[in-house]
Amino acid sequence: MAVAARKAGRAGSSAAGKSTPNKTLARKAAPNTPQFDKAQDLAAYHEMLLIRRFEEKSGQMYGMGLIGGFCHLYIGQEAVVVGMQMATKEGDQLITGYRDHGHMLASGMDAKGVMAELTGRRGGLSKGKGGSMHMFSKEKHFYGGHGIVGAQVSLGTGIAFANRYRNNGNVCLTYFGDGAANQGQVYESFNMAELWKLPVVYVIENNRYAMGTAVNRASAQTDFSKRGVSFNIPGEQVDGMDVRAVYAAGQRAMEHARSGKGPYILEMQTYRYRGHSMSDPAKYRTKDEVTRMREEHDPIEQVRRRLLESWKLSEDELKVIDGKVREIVNEAAEFATHDPEPDPSELYTDILL
Amino acid sequence: MAIDILMPALSPTMEQGKLAKWLKKEGDKVKPGDVLAEIETDKATMEVEAVDEGVLAKILVGDGTDNVAVNTPIAVLAGEGEDLASAVASAKMPDLVAPPAAAPAPVSAPAPATVPAAPAAPAAVYDAGLEVPAGTEMVNMTVREALRDAMAEEMRRDGDVFVMGEEVAEYQGAYKVTQGLLQEFGARRVIDTPITEHGFAGVGVGAAFTGLRPIVEFMTFNFAMQAIDQIINSAAKTLYMSGGQLGAPIVFRGPNGAAARVAAQHSQDYAAWYSAIPGLKVVVPYSAADAKGLLKSAIRDPNPVIFLENEILYGHSFPVPVMDDFTLPIGKARVHRQGKDVTIVSFGIGMTYAIKAAEALEKEGIDVEIIDLRTIRPMDTDTVVASVMKTGRCVTVEEGYPQSGVGAEIAARIMEKAFDYLDAPVIRVTGKDVPMPYAANLEKLALPNVDEVVQAVKAVTYR
Ligand SMILES: Cc1ncc(C[n+]2csc(CCOP(=O)(O)OP(=O)(O)O)c2C)c(N)n1
Ligand SMILES: [Mg+2]
């Protein structure tokens, strides 16, 4: 408990949002938190709010029985994917696990297509056949959406292998959780990635729990930025609740990987507000802990405050943005509710070419 | 406009739950994200959050109400400035509460001690009707409870038995099968692992090599694919490779097969896979009594046993004998229902289709015998063959894939041992030859159904 409380303080503590470089391996000391200009703050606000509202809507639609199976919401972690995405360039790929709705929206995938996949309809990005955990977009270089914890780490390393093979200058962002970080194939992949200097950035989204297991109950080394030490992979711990800190660390990591120096590890210290999936006894953490994170470290609220205070936007101007976001989400929900189910003939398609 | 707030679903398999407590009262203003109420199921507690802004006009289902069906209106939310009385009047009142879960069909009464001799049946066919002594008291319990009791009893009996897996201890099991074990046996024997299936399967096998008796829980068997090398190359083959010096008395258990809407990577039935491996035993119980008696035997067995459960069956209740030490032999099938016209062979959740089909067929005058295999490896061929010699017809039912499935194996054995008794070719009813789709309509099509079993029986009986 003491450990958890201390970490809470660190994870999102500050407006200063400092990065803690891994002393032994960080190539550069993290500078003070970079500032965003107005356009960056506005963009980050819009993207994060879109994910938040989309996820809230998904939760409701699950409750109404429109979405089935497992559904893992990204609420609380928005700054991670949005900040990282700001540090990418066209052509870079990303891959993640089953908590993937935010990654898809941030990589520009159509909200309607995502939502219709959640409801299992023909207009879904996988024609309704994949569902919440399994979605892909070749066009947006999004390689899924994977249901098996840790599998995406080797896959993302393979995408980076292909980048190097083709020498195309692209980097693969490979996201996984604190729980996934204990899978064996993660370390097999780390070894190959450094050995072959593959352009991959491993983003460990440490939201402090893997289902009901707190990090310190499953991990001997809870500083995930050090997980690459024995492979000589540099790493940093980053305040994953501050989109500016994420972006700055993302830029350093992408530059390292892109310049041929090999993989880089970013441990994003973040937090999920909701249960692991929709059904979660929630007995492994206190309500107080959740409330504190929401109230003191919310990634969206931080940007909102800057928009009001530093950039002098009015509440009304923010309301306009909120309204636009709501419209996108409502349209998506509307579409996903009324789009028909797949044609029965789809049962036997897409199995072999 | 007034909005009904509906009872939400918490999980793929939830149909009803308890409205534990309201955190807002009538007349309170609410905005999106506010927590309105807490609901509970046997697995989880969850908060109902407001989606819309407004005033909580009326609570329709009060604190502490049990068995509230998903999608029942539980409250009415009035828009801002809306007249509360008319909002309430316009909202539809709930049909109240779901009836308590329908009592499951009782397992057919224990078969008479002597099975009427089938014409050409081998004399020594195993008789599952004798497993529970006549007059034994029965209690209803869920498969989930039966499994938990089996583990607890064996852990009390033998200090070398321990359980490990993801979320088995503090969380009480992802599907609550290990509920209470940590409290009774402590952290030395009920062990939460990191998410490292390959690693902890190997750790379990290593411990078993030294004579400990691990029960390794996979959160689901889909994740055991990460560990399958240790299960097959280490657990199954070592006894043979060591010339009998060293084996692995270990149980790998957890839910197998499709649950509901969890799509391709979480919905596979592995019965046929493991049943292909010499050096393993493979058990797939359907009823709670079988789950209990067979799990106890699996834990005592000196070999590696793959114990395949099913998430949907966890909540089903069955009569279980009240006995000090109820064990059942691995490798013996159970005649679930006697009949003379056709034999249906199934196991695990496949039994639910078989039983419903038999009931429907009875109305049409077709008398079905159902065999619940219970163990897939070693397979009780004698019981199947004796039944087919009597009926002359056979349909197999499973959720797994058709190619190289359990049904294919049964058909081959019948052909080898009872070809001359067959009056029709064996028909397999299986899951379709496709990865499990997510969409509700396609998922339904991908799984077997009762009508397919009925049609198959009609085909083999030429009706
Ligand atoms: C190989 C495998 N084992 C177990 C699971 C079940 N499972 C799904 S998510 C999860 C927890 C993962 O936690 P973490 O990596 O921290 O990611 P988070 O859910 O916090 O985003 C588990 C155990 C799985 N999907 N795959
Ligand atoms: Mg986590």
Side-chain angles (χ1 to χ4, degrees), chain A residues 188-199:
Chain A
E188 300 177 18
S189 303
F190 281 3
N191 186 45
M192 289 183 276
E194 179 66 26
L195 186 65
W196 299 330
K197 299 285 182 222
L198 304 182

Side-chain angles (χ1 to χ4, degrees), chain B residues 250-323:
Chain B
I250 188 169
V251 175
F252 295 104
R253 52 155 290 274
N256 169 62
R261 308 290 307 282
V262 293
Q265 294 185 330
H266 285 69
S267 302
Q268 200 169 316
D269 175 0
Y270 294 91
W273 278 40
Y274 290 109
S275 86
I277 306 299
L280 293 179
K281 293 188 177 182
V282 182
V283 177
V284 193
Y286 159 63
S287 75
D290 288 350
K292 182 171 182 191
L294 287 164
L295 182 54
K296 281 166 64 78
S297 298
I299 295 167
R300 292 182 204 183
D301 200 285
N303 299 291
V305 180
I306 307 291
F307 200 90
L308 303 173
E309 301 157 9
N310 182 282
E311 187 194 333
I312 292 167
L313 291 179
Y314 279 154
H316 287 212
S317 292
F318 297 85
V320 174
V322 183
M323 286 165 67

